[in-house]
Structures are given as C-alpha cells and as structure tokens.
Amino acid sequence: MSGHSPATSPHAIRTGSWLAREALNNARGAVRYAVALGAIAAVLSLAPSSVSAAHRSHASHHGRPHHPAARHLPYPQLAWPLEISGSQYVPVAWADIAGWSEDDHLLPYKAFRTSCGPIAAQRKAPAEPKALGTSLRDPCRAARALDIDDRARARAFFEQHFLPLRISRLGEAEGFVTGYYEPIIDGSRTQTEVYTVPVYRRPSNLFVRGTSQNSAGLPNKGEVFRKIGRRKLVPYYDRAQIEDGAIAGRGLEIVWLKNQTDLLFTQIQGSARVRLEDGSTVRINYDAHNGFSYTPVGRILIERNIIPRDQMSMQKIREWMEQNPDGANELRRQNRSYVFFREVNLSDKDEPSGAQGVPLTAGRSIAVDKALHVYGTPFFIEGDLPIASEQSKTPFRRLMIAQDTGSAIVGPARADLYFGAGAEAGKISGRFRHNARFVILVPNSLDPLARGRKMPVPDPRPSEKIAKLFPQVDPLKDQPKDAKAGAKPPAAVAPAATTSAAVAKPVPLPEARPTVAPSRETRRHRYRHHRHYRCCR
C-alpha cells in the first residue's frame, strides 16, 4: 500500500471521553477539547455516499436545484470507524514512518506467523469486545499460505495487508515503553543452607471469580480469594504473610533460591531459568497471583529520595537492596502482590511463552494492554532508547508483535519490550522508562477512512440560510460613530446597478425590555397569594 498523500492527509480520529483527565491535563485543555470535536466533524464531513453524489449530478444535469429529501430522525446508529477506548489515532503513509524501510521485517513476520496459530484456532469473537476483534484472521490466512524467506517480501506482506495508524493516549503525543527479560538465576531442588527461599506453585485454595481452577494460567488482574470451610471466601494472603510462612509445608515448592531479591525480580519478569547445581535448568513461568495490585518498588525509592528518577533502573534497585538488607525487607513488603509459578518443559534454547501461549521472540515481542489490544497485533515503535549505555540515545525503529501482557501495562500506546534471557538482556531492559511513538497496524478490513465515508452527514440547518437572508444587527452597536454622536448621517447613495437576487435589509434586534419596579399594590397582591399557597397546600 502506498499510503495517503500529504495533500489529502486525513484528520485524526479520537475516541473515548474528551472530559477525561488525560485530555484536559493543562491550561490548554479547553482548546484540545474543541480540536477533538473538530476532528469528529472532519471525519463526518468526508466524501458523501455515491448515491447522494449521483442524485446531485442528475439534478444539475436537468438544470434544477437539488433539494435533498428529508431524512427521518434519528439518524441510523452506525459503528465508529475504529474505536479504541481512551486513544487518538491518525492514518499515516508508510513513507512517513521513520525507519520503516530500513527495518528487518522478516523476524516480525515469523513472530506474526507464530501468533497466527491461536488466532486461526478461534471460532468466536473475544469474550471482551476489542477494536480489532477477529479481523487478524484474514492476514493470518495469507501469512500461513506464504513461505517468505527474505526481508523485501516480508515488508511487502505487511504493506499489502495492513494500514498504519499513529496511535497514542488521548491528549498525548507519544506512548511509553519499558523492558523485560528472562532472568537466569541459581537454585536448588531442595532446601539447603544456601538456598532458603521457596518458589511456590499455585495453591489449591486460590480462587478467581469466573475462572476454573483447572485453567493452565489465571488472570494477572482481578480479585483472588481463598476458601475457608465450604462457602466463606476471604482475600488471599499478601506478600508479607506468605514470606512469613502462611503456605509453607504444603508441598508447593518448585525450587529454592538464594534470597528474596532473586524471587522478587523473577516475579516482576514473569519467568526465569533456574540453573541447578548439577548443571541442568528448570524453566518456570507465571501461573497465578494473589489478587493484590502491583506496587513498583522503584517508585517508592524515588518518592523517598533514595534513588533519583533519572538514575532509576533494576540494577540500582538490586544494588540498594543488597547493601540495605533490612530496608530491602521493608521495601519489598510494600508490594503486597505475589506471583505463583508453574514448571514448563522447555530446553535452554527455547524462549518462554507469553500470555498468548506462543514462544516470545527476543527483540520483537512486546507485552500490551490486553483489555484494549488483540494478541498478534503488529506495532511499529520509534524511539531513542538507552541500549548501548545508560546515557545513550540509540535509535530504536522496529516492528514488534503483541504476544504478552502485564498488570502494569495499561493504555493504548504502552508496551513492555522483551529482550531475551540473561544478564546482558537484564541490563538493557532494566534501563527502559522512556517515551516512544507508536504505529498500530490494523487489517485492511478495518480501514477507518472507508468506514468514515459511510457515516451520515447531518442535514443543513435551515437557520443558517435564514441568517444569510436576514442578517440581524444591533441598532446601538452597529450604527456609525457619527450617528451615535448626533451627526446627521449622509444621504443614501443609489446603487449603481440592480443585482439579480434581492437581498433583504438587516432586521434590527428588538429593544431590551425596560426595567419597571413593581408597584406597592402588586407586591401586596403577591404576598397575599404566597401566604394563601403555603397555608392551603
């Protein structure tokens, strides 16, 4: 697809509430509100339907003015072109996406084909309504039918089957990215003097409303309960209670780690490779959580002025915890959220699976807000990120595939970038807390411009025509200055020529009603009436 030319670039489409805090977050909020309304008006005023155009052409051909037939109200309720809650988006041309032509599209194409397995297996729409719905099935069918092995053909595939839309949160110009990785840590199958911290599997008394306990994995959001007796449900244990042994001795231990800091970072990342003393590796992955919201320990350190915001990273957090074991114990318990794992059968060469259930691709997989986006959706992310070093601004221009999610990933232009396994990947991903620009690739079937042209345009307001024929004037404000001063106005000059269409003279506005104080008799009558009303009701 060649994209839209600059001369005919469409207006941005904004969805969600324009009264939201994100849209009116500064002194120019009212101006943004007006711009947003103007964007909707611009979309509604796109090219009219072919039927209306043919009608006008027929009328002009016969020399008669066209009077459109009155439409019955209310107008038909048509679906918006593409509605992503709390977002704004605008179509862009492929050539206007910085770094698009230079990227290696073969890797994201292979990752997209991997995501197409679960997408093709779907037989009905997602349980939660989302903007893309099941629209990815068409490009997935095309991808699985092709055997692409070079970059140029992979790029052509995306340009042929998708439309690029620059997207961000309503009222903001950019999105936000962080990074994550898979830790490689030392552990043991048994408890020893060195390995004292257990990694727990999901307890049998943990319940999530609306989810079966037999599920392979439970949601990472929502209320979680434990059962007391047959019917009573109470909130599950928090981190402090679990660390103090609330579920110890029940045979839930998968492996044992050296310290609680290793476990905390494993829970934050959602998976890990535990290297045992005999050289083998145990792979663990997220399975459930205890129902408490995740509290970033880095934010607490910033609020306490322990680590400056511009220096914050996972390495800084780990260093501070190792140097302050007592403070680390208190800080860790501020995050009441706790994650349970399951053991997965993967080799050392295999990547972990994301929330979609497919293996992640290092440098090409991202975690997104699953309440808004569909797994398998391609995103092109542009930014300058600290990849080479903490102070560097390395150009990042990559096509990524949404294959994972996280409880802290919220918003239409919010992503967690997966960088692989090991210490080096941990250093890179731990430095990421940066703004970036997002382009979402939507299937051609969801073209917002094509949908926008089908939306009805409101009938012309008759008051506009009347106002042109009979302009209203204020005799006090619109008269000449000389007339206000008492000077005699100049004589009227006869028009040089008679116009073909007569124009009515301005109609003066009615005079204001004079202010007349009510008489004493009128006030007495009102008082009697009021007293009679109060006593007789």
Side-chain angles (χ1 to χ4, degrees):
M1 169 176 176
S2 60
H4 306 284
S5 62
T8 59
S9 60
H11 294 274
I13 301 174
R14 302 188 176 198
T15 63
S17 171
W18 286 282
L19 296 180
R21 183 180 304 173
E22 293 84 352
L24 302 178
N25 56 358
N26 53 34
R28 295 177 295 176
V31 177
R32 295 183 179 178
Y33 179 69
V35 172
L37 292 180
I40 290 294
V43 173
L44 294 179
S45 61
L46 292 173
S49 63
S50 58
V51 176
S52 301
H55 231 112
R56 288 197 300 271
S57 176
H58 178 74
S60 61
H61 177 73
H62 289 277
R64 298 192 306 269
H66 172 65
H67 300 286
R71 288 180 287 187
H72 296 288
L73 297 177
Y75 294 124
Q77 297 295 322
L78 299 182
W80 281 98
L82 184 65
E83 188 170 4
I84 303 177
S85 179
S87 71
Q88 60 188 22
Y89 61 85
V90 58
V92 294
W94 297 108
D96 294 335
I97 303 175
W100 171 260
S101 58
E102 292 79 20
D103 189 25
D104 180 3
H105 296 79
L106 186 57
L107 289 177
Y109 168 79
K110 293 180 178 180
F112 176 73
R113 285 195 69 185
T114 303
S115 287
C116 285
I119 293 174
Q122 293 177 348
R123 293 294 178 261
K124 56 183 179 179
E128 299 178 1
K130 301 175 184 178
L132 263 62
T134 58
S135 62
L136 287 175
R137 291 179 182 176
D138 292 338
C140 272
R141 292 191 187 99
R144 301 182 76 181
L146 297 174
D147 186 16
I148 295 177
D149 55 0
D150 63 83
R151 300 180 179 183
R153 292 182 61 195
R155 172 185 167 187
F157 168 83
F158 288 107
E159 294 180 353
Q160 180 181 355
H161 294 90
F162 291 92
L163 295 169
L165 307 177
R166 192 171 297 281
I167 187 172
S168 61
R169 188 189 293 271
L170 191 63
E172 300 178 2
E174 296 181 325
F176 190 74
V177 297
T178 50
Y180 73 114
Y181 73 110
E182 187 180 25
I184 300 178
I185 52 180
D186 294 330
S188 172
R189 282 288 192 182
T190 58
Q191 183 179 12
T192 66
E193 294 181 356
V194 177
Y195 301 101
T196 59
V197 177
V199 176
Y200 289 123
R201 61 173 51 89
R202 187 205 317 172
S204 59
N205 65 341
L206 186 148
F207 296 87
V208 178
R209 292 188 189 276
T211 305
S212 172
Q213 284 186 298
N214 298 325
S215 302
L218 299 184
N220 61 355
K221 295 182 181 179
E223 295 181 313
V224 177
F225 303 92
R226 62 185 174 91
K227 183 182 291 187
I228 299 179
R230 293 186 176 181
R231 296 184 178 179
K232 187 176 181 181
L233 295 177
V234 297
Y236 208 79
Y237 301 114
D238 67 1
R239 175 177 295 275
Q241 292 172 312
I242 295 175
E243 288 185 1
D244 290 340
I247 61 175
R250 295 173 53 185
L252 300 175
E253 298 83 0
I254 302 175
V255 290
W256 299 79
L257 307 181
K258 289 182 178 180
N259 53 61
Q260 291 286 357
T261 302
D262 284 343
L263 177 61
L264 174 65
F265 279 89
T266 299
Q267 292 175 327
I268 293 174
Q269 303 307 318
S271 64
R273 306 184 185 197
V274 182
R275 189 168 44 204
L276 302 180
E277 294 175 309
D278 60 1
S280 62
T281 301
V282 176
R283 305 290 295 274
I284 57 176
N285 211 351
Y286 169 90
D287 192 36
H289 77 120
N290 64 339
F292 290 93
S293 299
Y294 169 72
T295 300
V297 294
R299 184 179 66 192
I300 299 175
L301 292 173
I302 293 175
E303 293 172 351
R304 295 178 179 179
N305 297 319
I306 297 176
I307 300 178
R309 183 181 299 273
D310 57 350
Q311 299 180 15
M312 177 55 63
S313 67
M314 286 189 292
Q315 286 73 31
K316 292 288 185 180
I317 298 174
R318 180 179 285 275
E319 289 175 3
W320 185 87
M321 285 185 166
E322 291 175 352
Q323 297 169 5
N324 302 272
D326 294 336
N329 184 62
E330 183 272 335
L331 174 66
R332 190 177 60 254
R333 294 181 178 218
Q334 295 295 316
N335 175 30
R336 302 180 68 188
S337 175
Y338 197 91
V339 171
F340 302 98
F341 293 89
R342 67 177 182 270
E343 186 175 350
V344 291
N345 186 21
L346 295 174
S347 69
D348 292 343
K349 297 181 180 179
D350 296 328
E351 294 289 350
S353 296
Q356 191 187 12
V358 300
L360 301 176
T361 301
R364 294 293 176 172
S365 295
I366 58 174
V368 296
D369 187 348
K370 69 173 184 178
L372 300 177
H373 299 302
V374 176
Y375 293 136
T377 303
F379 286 85
F380 194 84
I381 298 179
E382 315 165 30
D384 297 321
L385 305 179
I387 296 178
S389 65
E390 293 185 3
Q391 290 76 30
S392 67
K393 294 183 178 180
T394 307
F396 186 91
R397 315 281 190 266
R398 293 188 188 180
L399 182 60
M400 315 289 284
I401 307 299
Q403 297 176 321
D404 205 355
T405 190
S407 58
I409 312 303
V410 179
R414 174 72 173 92
D416 213 9
L417 315 181
Y418 176 68
F419 277 92
E424 187 62 28
K427 289 181 181 179
I428 296 175
S429 60
R431 297 193 287 257
F432 281 11
R433 291 182 57 85
H434 292 72
N435 293 331
R437 296 170 296 279
F438 282 65
V439 175
I440 181 174
L441 273 58
V442 301
N444 292 335
S445 59
L446 298 183
D447 185 355
L449 294 181
R451 286 190 172 190
R453 294 188 181 98
K454 297 179 181 179
M455 299 192 71
V457 178
D459 292 326
R461 297 177 58 187
S463 57
E464 296 179 359
K465 184 175 181 181
I466 295 174
K468 291 181 180 179
L469 294 176
F470 301 97
Q472 295 183 345
V473 296
D474 189 337
L476 298 179
K477 293 183 179 180
D478 298 340
Q479 61 182 341
K481 293 183 180 180
D482 295 339
K484 291 182 181 180
K488 184 177 181 180
V493 180
T498 304
T499 58
S500 57
V503 179
K505 295 181 178 180
V507 179
L509 295 172
E511 296 182 1
R513 178 182 295 177
T515 303
V516 180
S519 64
R520 180 178 301 176
E521 184 65 24
T522 303
R523 291 198 298 268
R524 186 181 300 113
H525 173 72
R526 289 179 178 174
Y527 174 74
R528 287 200 205 102
H529 177 74
H530 177 66
R531 184 175 58 185
H532 173 75
Y533 173 75
R534 293 188 62 185
C535 70
C536 302
R537 59 179 176 173

